[in-house]
Amino acid sequence: MDLSLNPFSSGTRLRDMIRAIRASKTAAEERAVVRRECAAIRAAISDNDQDYRHRNMAKLMFIHMLGYPTHFGQMECLKLIAASGFPEKRIGYLGLTLLLDERQEVLMLVTNSLKQDLNHSNQFIVGLALCALGNICSAEMARDLAPEVERLLQTRDPNTKKKAALCSIRIVRKVPDLAENFMGSAASLLKEKHHGVLISVVQLCTELCKASREALEYLRKHSVEGLVRILRDVSNSSYAPEYDIAGITDPFLHIRVLRLMRTLGQGDADCSEHVNDILAQVATKTESNKNAGNAILYECVETIMGIEATSGLRVLAINILGRFLSNRDNNIRYVALNMLMKAMAVDTLAVQRHRVTILECVKDADVSIRKRALELVYLLVNDTNVKPLTKELVDYLEVSDDDFKEDLTAKICSIVEKFSQDKLWYLDQMFKVLTLTGNFVKDDVWHALIVLISNAPELQGYSVRSLYKALQASGTQESLVRVAVWCIGEYGEMLVNNISMLDVEEPITVTESEAVDALELALKRYSVDVTTRAMCLVALLKLSSRFPQTSKRIQAIVVQNKGNTVLELQQRSIEFNSIIQRHQSIKSSLLERMPVLDEASYLLKRAASSRATVSLTKSAPSAASGGSLKVPNGAVKPPPAPLADLLDLSSDDAPVTTSAPSTAPNDFLQDLLGIGLIDTSTAGGAPSASTDILMDLLSIGSYPVQNGPLATSNISSPGQVTKHAPGTPQVIDLLDGLSPNVNAAYPSITAFQSATLKMTFNFKKQPGKPQETTMHASFTNLTSVTLTNFMFQAAVPKFIQLRLDPASSSTLPASGNGSITQSLSVTNNQHGQKPLAMRIRISYKVNGEERLEQGQISNFPARL
């Protein structure tokens, strides 16, 4: 056959095939070329064509690199390896490493050929076999060929030694039990002069230490002196062009030896003592003006930090990192910051000496360096340097980028809470942060600030005056507005009358009207934020009692929200207007200052719920059981009686009072912020006297009121949207008494209870529709493990129609710390003849394991 007439025959040269493939204009043309060439190669394989076998294998390797299947050529690799000539073996071994891997069964057939080539007299053929074995060696091949590789470690040829050492690394990784076979050879090869052999053997020693504890101990005794000699010779050697990189002799060997020293010296004082001197020499003599030198210095520092080095050597290492921080290269500064964070656990005082340089890195243009430096500064803060460091961070807060302000604000707040021993300093720093970046302050931070102000009567006047001035200067920061509004509502008379002035203060003149102006402005400015506007309404209501002369004006401001489309604000406006207009006799006692909020209780709840960074001492667990608790401002308090967290906007685990509360005025003030609900009703019981009427003047936990076609529903938090019946809003005065509780005739029942779950039903009926019932199911977790993927399903007889609303959540908190609620609408078409009946099925996951519970409910009240 004339090969020139068929450019895609098996005799086509490799370059011609590559040229034809590259000339293809579309993927389809390329596939056609590859398909024709593969067909020609298959035909040549079938004809046992030996003349072009090596050429066909080269083509297959190129086709394989393009991503096409080439498995049909695997046996050709074995035939080429079995050939006697070096060119054929070279192509065969190259194909072996590309077309096969250790998982192929065909690989077992090549073991004998590898063994013969490892014993070959030609060093180049031996090198081919070592390279192939080092790339595709399986565990079985490692056990069979380990003796040959171990023997080759003792040959005279340095190239063969180098390849044998690299092959030994693969063998040890595959079969760690063989590590002891290579210990002696590896230690003896550290005396070699050839750098290629040395770098391979050092890597082999490192792998032996990882694979075997016995090998680690052996090398500690027999290789440390050799490593010290290698490092000294390389450091002191004269210029050698074959190893020189940027004026430094073989930095790769430097780094490998230093890493092995770190492995050997970790946790071993004797070994560390032997290498201390050479590490000091490398650290002082290596030039840092080149990247290669910086790489050696960094590895040297990491080795010093990883072994049992002397304190002086560690100081030297940390000083090197300090020099790195002044380098222009961002990568060098970043790795230096990373290393300094690790060094904090070793020598904090040495790192503290570079505090100024680290602070400058917080202001760096590179965002990665800024964030890493900020984390390091956070670790550097202690009781002695907290004030200067905080001042530096707060000063930078004003000019920092918006993208960085959130992280910086969070760290400053955490530092102030954790290390503050002075309440006045704590307040000053928090006020600065609120003024500069109040929009980035988390809710739990300003909640904690309000708790502290409530517990510091001597600083309440200072706080309200400082916040008023900050509000006038910067009224665009949301958290600042909330805290200022709360304080003006609680301590407005201190603001106007300059009560409890401190020596550091200057008196300010604020009239009652100006205080109301500030709240009115905040109410109008934050027209979107429901929480802020709700707090403004509460503060205005309180000022109507503290400033009687502004009562009419406050009433006019409150009434403006009477028709607000946000139902939360609409209901507050209606109820507050009623208090101001019609209930002057009880208003003063009703709107007294909020009771002191307990710091210890709040901090315990905050730590348990949000996992926030709170500075609690080791005695915190004992505090919960009767010990004491250290709070961030330095005060130590005994744990109080259980009290609802009046500042937790999402509180759902407040204590439930089952008896009628006292009628003292303070009981009316349980929740003047509309936060931290305390339920004072018992299931199925009618509301008590005036206490229950006044328990929720801010529409928190109120009883359902039925007045004609309009039903005003409950509101449980400033941000919750509730459902009202459609129609024109109707003013309902909650203080004129409540209509009888429509639920009183249908007490709640425990519908289902197991060792894991408890489900209760509450019932509600619409007047005139006895066959229709609305059920509110509440699920409580009785175990200490959170339940996820929670799903409730129900089935009823055919004469009953059932509609299930979506559940409030799919996650049920552990130990009763919260619940899932779900509404069901049931229509009994045979009401009065047949009672309600229902089968239920509840599915959930516990630690990823699916669980299923089911049962039947037949204890519904008869009149349903």
Side-chain angles (χ1 to χ4, degrees), residues 83-142:
S84 58
F86 175 77
E88 290 81 5
K89 285 183 178 291
R90 181 176 61 178
I91 293 294
Y93 278 121
L94 184 58
L96 184 72
T97 56
L98 283 177
L99 305 184
L100 284 82
D101 58 46
E102 61 181 278
R103 294 168 295 179
Q104 301 285 343
E105 295 182 0
V106 179
L107 200 61
M108 296 301 298
L109 301 176
V110 82
T111 303
N112 189 52
S113 296
L114 280 169
K115 190 168 187 177
Q116 291 178 0
D117 288 342
L118 289 174
N119 292 298
H120 204 281
S121 58
N122 188 331
Q123 63 175 353
F124 299 108
I125 293 177
V126 174
L128 290 176
L130 286 172
C131 288
L133 187 61
N135 278 282
I136 61 169
C137 174
S138 63
E140 292 79 7
M141 294 174 68

Coordinates of all heavy atoms in Angstrom, one line a residue, residues 83-142:
A83 N 10.3 -4.6 24.6 CA 11.3 -4.6 23.5 C 12.7 -4.4 24.1 O 12.8 -3.9 25.3 CB 10.9 -3.5 22.5
S84 N 13.7 -4.7 23.3 CA 15.0 -4.6 23.9 C 15.7 -3.2 23.7 O 16.6 -2.8 24.4 CB 15.9 -5.6 23.2 OG 15.9 -5.4 21.8
G85 N 15.2 -2.4 22.7 CA 15.8 -1.1 22.4 C 15.4 0.0 23.3 O 14.2 0.0 23.8
F86 N 16.3 0.9 23.5 CA 15.9 2.1 24.4 C 14.8 2.9 23.8 O 13.9 3.4 24.5 CB 17.2 2.9 24.6 CG 17.0 4.1 25.4 CD1 16.8 4.1 26.7 CD2 16.9 5.4 24.7 CE1 16.5 5.3 27.5 CE2 16.7 6.5 25.4 CZ 16.5 6.5 26.8
P87 N 14.8 3.3 22.4 CA 13.8 4.1 21.9 C 12.4 3.5 22.1 O 11.4 4.3 22.5 CB 14.1 4.3 20.4 CG 15.6 4.0 20.3 CD 15.8 3.0 21.4
E88 N 12.2 2.2 21.9 CA 10.9 1.6 22.1 C 10.5 1.6 23.6 O 9.4 1.9 23.9 CB 11.0 0.1 21.6 CG 11.0 0.0 20.1 CD 12.5 0.1 19.6 OE1 13.4 0.3 20.4 OE2 12.7 0.2 18.3
K89 N 11.5 1.3 24.5 CA 11.2 1.4 25.9 C 10.8 2.8 26.3 O 9.9 3.0 27.2 CB 12.4 0.9 26.7 CG 12.6 -0.6 26.7 CD 13.7 -1.0 27.6 CE 13.9 -2.5 27.6 NZ 12.8 -3.2 28.3
R90 N 11.5 3.8 25.8 CA 11.1 5.1 26.2 C 9.7 5.5 25.8 O 9.0 6.0 26.7 CB 12.1 6.1 25.5 CG 11.9 7.6 25.9 CD 12.9 8.5 25.3 NE 12.9 8.4 23.8 CZ 13.7 9.1 23.1 NH1 14.6 10.0 23.6 NH2 13.6 9.0 21.7
I91 N 9.3 5.2 24.6 CA 7.9 5.4 24.2 C 6.9 4.6 25.0 O 5.8 5.0 25.4 CB 7.7 5.2 22.7 CG1 8.5 6.2 21.9 CG2 6.2 5.2 22.3 CD1 8.0 7.6 22.0
G92 N 7.3 3.3 25.3 CA 6.5 2.4 26.0 C 6.2 2.9 27.5 O 5.1 2.9 27.9
Y93 N 7.3 3.3 28.1 CA 7.1 3.8 29.5 C 6.4 5.1 29.6 O 5.6 5.4 30.5 CB 8.5 3.9 30.2 CG 9.0 2.6 30.7 CD1 10.2 2.1 30.3 CD2 8.3 1.9 31.7 CE1 10.8 0.9 30.8 CE2 8.8 0.7 32.2 CZ 10.0 0.2 31.8 OH 10.5 -1.0 32.2
L94 N 6.6 6.0 28.6 CA 5.9 7.2 28.5 C 4.4 7.0 28.3 O 3.5 7.6 29.0 CB 6.4 8.1 27.4 CG 5.8 9.5 27.3 CD1 6.0 10.3 28.6 CD2 6.4 10.3 26.1
G95 N 4.1 6.1 27.4 CA 2.7 5.7 27.2 C 2.1 5.0 28.5 O 0.9 5.2 28.8
L96 N 2.9 4.3 29.2 CA 2.4 3.6 30.4 C 2.0 4.6 31.4 O 0.9 4.5 32.1 CB 3.5 2.7 31.0 CG 3.2 1.9 32.2 CD1 2.3 0.8 31.8 CD2 4.5 1.4 32.8
T97 N 2.8 5.7 31.6 CA 2.5 6.7 32.6 C 1.3 7.6 32.2 O 0.6 8.1 33.1 CB 3.7 7.6 32.9 OG1 4.1 8.2 31.6 CG2 4.8 6.8 33.5
L98 N 1.0 7.7 30.9 CA -0.1 8.6 30.4 C -1.4 7.8 30.3 O -2.4 8.3 30.7 CB 0.3 9.2 29.1 CG 1.3 10.4 29.1 CD1 1.6 10.9 27.7 CD2 0.7 11.5 30.0
L99 N -1.3 6.6 29.7 CA -2.6 5.9 29.4 C -3.1 5.0 30.5 O -4.2 4.6 30.5 CB -2.3 5.0 28.1 CG -1.8 5.8 26.9 CD1 -1.7 4.8 25.7 CD2 -2.7 7.0 26.5
L100 N -2.2 4.7 31.5 CA -2.6 3.8 32.6 C -2.5 4.5 33.9 O -1.7 5.5 34.0 CB -1.8 2.5 32.6 CG -2.2 1.4 31.5 CD1 -1.5 1.8 30.2 CD2 -1.8 0.0 32.0
D101 N -3.1 4.0 34.9 CA -2.9 4.4 36.3 C -2.9 3.2 37.2 O -3.1 2.1 36.7 CB -3.9 5.5 36.7 CG -5.4 4.9 36.6 OD1 -5.6 3.8 37.1 OD2 -6.2 5.7 36.1
E102 N -2.7 3.4 38.5 CA -2.5 2.3 39.4 C -3.8 1.4 39.5 O -3.7 0.3 40.1 CB -2.1 2.8 40.8 CG -3.1 3.7 41.4 CD -2.6 4.3 42.7 OE1 -2.8 3.5 43.7 OE2 -2.1 5.4 42.8
R103 N -4.9 1.9 39.1 CA -6.2 1.1 39.3 C -6.4 0.2 38.1 O -7.3 -0.7 38.2 CB -7.3 2.1 39.3 CG -7.3 3.0 40.6 CD -8.3 4.1 40.5 NE -8.0 5.0 39.4 CZ -8.7 6.1 39.1 NH1 -9.8 6.4 39.7 NH2 -8.3 6.9 38.1
Q104 N -5.6 0.2 37.1 CA -5.8 -0.6 35.9 C -5.2 -2.0 36.2 O -4.1 -2.2 36.7 CB -5.1 0.0 34.7 CG -5.5 1.3 34.3 CD -6.9 1.3 33.6 OE1 -7.3 0.2 33.1 NE2 -7.6 2.4 33.6
E105 N -6.0 -3.1 35.9 CA -5.5 -4.4 36.1 C -4.4 -4.8 35.2 O -3.6 -5.6 35.5 CB -6.7 -5.4 35.9 CG -7.8 -5.2 37.0 CD -8.9 -6.2 36.8 OE1 -8.8 -7.1 35.8 OE2 -9.9 -6.2 37.6
V106 N -4.4 -4.1 34.0 CA -3.3 -4.4 33.0 C -1.9 -4.1 33.6 O -0.9 -4.7 33.2 CB -3.6 -3.6 31.7 CG1 -2.5 -3.8 30.7 CG2 -4.9 -3.9 31.2
L107 N -1.9 -3.3 34.6 CA -0.6 -2.8 35.1 C 0.1 -4.0 35.8 O 1.4 -4.0 35.9 CB -0.9 -1.7 36.2 CG 0.3 -0.8 36.5 CD1 0.8 -0.1 35.3 CD2 -0.1 0.2 37.6
M108 N -0.6 -5.0 36.3 CA 0.0 -6.1 36.9 C 0.9 -6.9 35.9 O 1.9 -7.5 36.3 CB -1.0 -7.1 37.5 CG -1.8 -6.5 38.6 SD -0.9 -5.9 40.0 CE -0.1 -7.4 40.5
L109 N 0.6 -6.8 34.6 CA 1.4 -7.5 33.6 C 2.8 -6.9 33.4 O 3.7 -7.6 32.8 CB 0.6 -7.6 32.3 CG -0.8 -8.2 32.4 CD1 -1.4 -8.1 31.0 CD2 -0.7 -9.7 32.8
V110 N 3.0 -5.7 33.8 CA 4.2 -5.0 33.5 C 5.2 -5.1 34.7 O 6.4 -4.7 34.6 CB 3.9 -3.5 33.2 CG1 3.8 -2.7 34.5 CG2 5.0 -2.9 32.4
T111 N 4.8 -5.7 35.8 CA 5.7 -5.8 37.0 C 7.0 -6.6 36.6 O 8.1 -6.1 37.0 CB 4.9 -6.6 38.1 OG1 3.7 -5.9 38.4 CG2 5.8 -6.6 39.4
N112 N 6.9 -7.7 35.9 CA 8.1 -8.4 35.6 C 9.0 -7.6 34.7 O 10.3 -7.7 34.9 CB 7.7 -9.7 34.9 CG 8.8 -10.7 34.7 OD1 9.6 -11.0 35.7 ND2 9.1 -11.2 33.5
S113 N 8.5 -6.9 33.7 CA 9.3 -6.1 32.8 C 10.0 -5.0 33.6 O 11.2 -4.7 33.4 CB 8.5 -5.4 31.7 OG 7.9 -6.4 30.9
L114 N 9.3 -4.4 34.6 CA 9.9 -3.4 35.4 C 11.0 -4.0 36.3 O 12.1 -3.3 36.4 CB 8.8 -2.8 36.4 CG 7.9 -1.7 35.8 CD1 6.8 -1.4 36.7 CD2 8.7 -0.4 35.5
K115 N 10.8 -5.2 36.8 CA 11.9 -5.8 37.6 C 13.1 -6.1 36.7 O 14.3 -5.8 37.2 CB 11.4 -7.1 38.2 CG 12.3 -7.7 39.2 CD 11.5 -8.8 40.0 CE 12.4 -9.3 41.2 NZ 11.7 -10.3 41.9
Q116 N 12.9 -6.5 35.5 CA 14.1 -6.8 34.6 C 14.8 -5.5 34.3 O 16.0 -5.4 34.3 CB 13.6 -7.4 33.4 CG 13.1 -8.9 33.6 CD 12.6 -9.5 32.3 OE1 12.6 -8.8 31.2 NE2 12.1 -10.7 32.4
D117 N 14.0 -4.4 34.0 CA 14.7 -3.1 33.6 C 15.4 -2.5 34.8 O 16.4 -1.8 34.7 CB 13.6 -2.2 33.1 CG 13.2 -2.6 31.7 OD1 13.9 -3.4 31.1 OD2 12.1 -2.2 31.2
L118 N 14.9 -2.7 36.1 CA 15.5 -2.1 37.2 C 16.9 -2.8 37.5 O 17.8 -2.2 38.1 CB 14.6 -2.3 38.5 CG 13.4 -1.4 38.6 CD1 12.5 -1.8 39.7 CD2 13.8 0.0 38.6
N119 N 17.0 -4.0 36.9 CA 18.3 -4.7 37.1 C 19.2 -4.6 35.8 O 20.2 -5.3 35.6 CB 18.1 -6.2 37.4 CG 17.5 -6.4 38.8 OD1 18.1 -6.0 39.8 ND2 16.3 -6.9 38.9
H120 N 18.8 -3.8 34.8 CA 19.4 -3.6 33.6 C 20.8 -3.0 33.7 O 21.0 -2.1 34.6 CB 18.6 -2.8 32.6 CG 18.8 -3.1 31.2 ND1 19.9 -2.5 30.5 CD2 18.2 -3.9 30.2 CE1 19.9 -3.0 29.2 NE2 18.9 -3.8 29.0
S121 N 21.7 -3.3 32.8 CA 23.0 -2.7 32.9 C 23.1 -1.3 32.4 O 24.0 -0.5 32.7 CB 24.0 -3.6 32.1 OG 23.6 -3.7 30.8
N122 N 22.1 -0.9 31.6 CA 22.0 0.4 31.0 C 21.4 1.4 32.0 O 20.2 1.2 32.4 CB 21.3 0.4 29.7 CG 21.3 1.7 29.0 OD1 21.5 2.8 29.6 ND2 21.3 1.7 27.6
Q123 N 22.1 2.4 32.5 CA 21.5 3.3 33.5 C 20.3 4.1 33.0 O 19.4 4.5 33.7 CB 22.6 4.3 34.0 CG 23.1 5.2 32.9 CD 24.1 6.2 33.4 OE1 24.3 6.3 34.6 NE2 24.7 7.0 32.5
F124 N 20.3 4.3 31.7 CA 19.1 5.1 31.1 C 17.9 4.3 31.1 O 16.8 4.8 31.4 CB 19.5 5.6 29.7 CG 20.7 6.4 29.6 CD1 21.9 6.0 29.1 CD2 20.6 7.7 30.2 CE1 23.0 6.8 29.1 CE2 21.7 8.6 30.1 CZ 22.9 8.1 29.6
I125 N 18.0 3.0 30.9 CA 16.8 2.1 30.9 C 16.4 1.9 32.4 O 15.2 1.9 32.7 CB 17.1 0.7 30.3 CG1 17.3 0.9 28.8 CG2 16.0 -0.3 30.6 CD1 17.7 -0.4 28.1
V126 N 17.3 1.9 33.3 CA 17.0 1.8 34.7 C 16.2 3.1 35.1 O 15.3 3.1 35.9 CB 18.3 1.7 35.6 CG1 17.9 1.8 37.1 CG2 18.9 0.3 35.3
G127 N 16.7 4.2 34.6 CA 16.0 5.5 34.9 C 14.6 5.5 34.4 O 13.7 6.1 35.1
L128 N 14.4 5.0 33.2 CA 13.0 4.9 32.7 C 12.1 4.1 33.6 O 11.0 4.5 33.9 CB 13.0 4.3 31.3 CG 13.6 5.1 30.1 CD1 13.7 4.3 28.8 CD2 12.8 6.4 29.9
A129 N 12.6 2.9 34.0 CA 11.8 2.1 34.9 C 11.5 2.8 36.2 O 10.4 2.7 36.8 CB 12.5 0.8 35.1
L130 N 12.5 3.5 36.8 CA 12.3 4.2 38.1 C 11.2 5.3 37.9 O 10.4 5.5 38.8 CB 13.6 4.8 38.6 CG 14.6 3.7 39.1 CD1 15.9 4.4 39.4 CD2 14.0 3.1 40.4
C131 N 11.3 6.0 36.8 CA 10.4 7.1 36.6 C 9.0 6.6 36.5 O 8.0 7.1 37.0 CB 10.8 7.9 35.3 SG 12.2 8.9 35.5
A132 N 8.8 5.5 35.7 CA 7.5 4.9 35.5 C 6.9 4.4 36.9 O 5.8 4.6 37.2 CB 7.5 3.8 34.5
L133 N 7.8 3.7 37.6 CA 7.4 3.2 38.9 C 7.0 4.3 39.9 O 6.1 4.2 40.6 CB 8.5 2.3 39.5 CG 8.2 1.5 40.8 CD1 7.0 0.5 40.5 CD2 9.4 0.7 41.3
G134 N 7.8 5.4 39.8 CA 7.5 6.5 40.7 C 6.2 7.2 40.4 O 5.6 7.9 41.3
N135 N 5.7 7.0 39.2 CA 4.4 7.7 38.8 C 3.2 6.8 39.0 O 2.1 7.3 39.3 CB 4.5 8.1 37.3 CG 5.3 9.4 37.2 OD1 4.7 10.5 37.5 ND2 6.5 9.4 36.8
I136 N 3.3 5.5 38.7 CA 2.1 4.7 38.7 C 2.2 3.5 39.7 O 1.3 2.6 39.6 CB 1.8 4.1 37.3 CG1 3.0 3.3 36.8 CG2 1.6 5.3 36.3 CD1 2.7 2.5 35.5
C137 N 3.1 3.5 40.6 CA 3.3 2.4 41.5 C 2.0 2.1 42.3 O 1.5 3.1 43.0 CB 4.5 2.6 42.4 SG 4.7 1.4 43.6
S138 N 1.5 0.9 42.4 CA 0.5 0.5 43.3 C 1.0 -0.2 44.5 O 2.3 -0.4 44.6 CB -0.5 -0.4 42.5 OG 0.2 -1.6 42.2
A139 N 0.2 -0.5 45.5 CA 0.7 -1.1 46.7 C 1.3 -2.5 46.4 O 2.3 -2.9 47.0 CB -0.5 -1.3 47.7
E140 N 0.7 -3.3 45.5 CA 1.2 -4.6 45.2 C 2.6 -4.5 44.5 O 3.5 -5.2 44.8 CB 0.3 -5.3 44.3 CG -1.1 -5.7 45.0 CD -2.0 -4.6 45.1 OE1 -1.7 -3.5 44.5 OE2 -3.1 -4.7 45.7
M141 N 2.7 -3.6 43.6 CA 4.0 -3.4 42.9 C 5.0 -2.9 43.9 O 6.2 -3.2 43.7 CB 3.8 -2.4 41.7 CG 2.9 -2.9 40.6 SD 2.6 -1.6 39.4 CE 4.2 -1.4 38.7
A142 N 4.6 -2.0 44.8 CA 5.6 -1.5 45.8 C 6.2 -2.6 46.6 O 7.4 -2.7 46.8 CB 4.9 -0.5 46.7

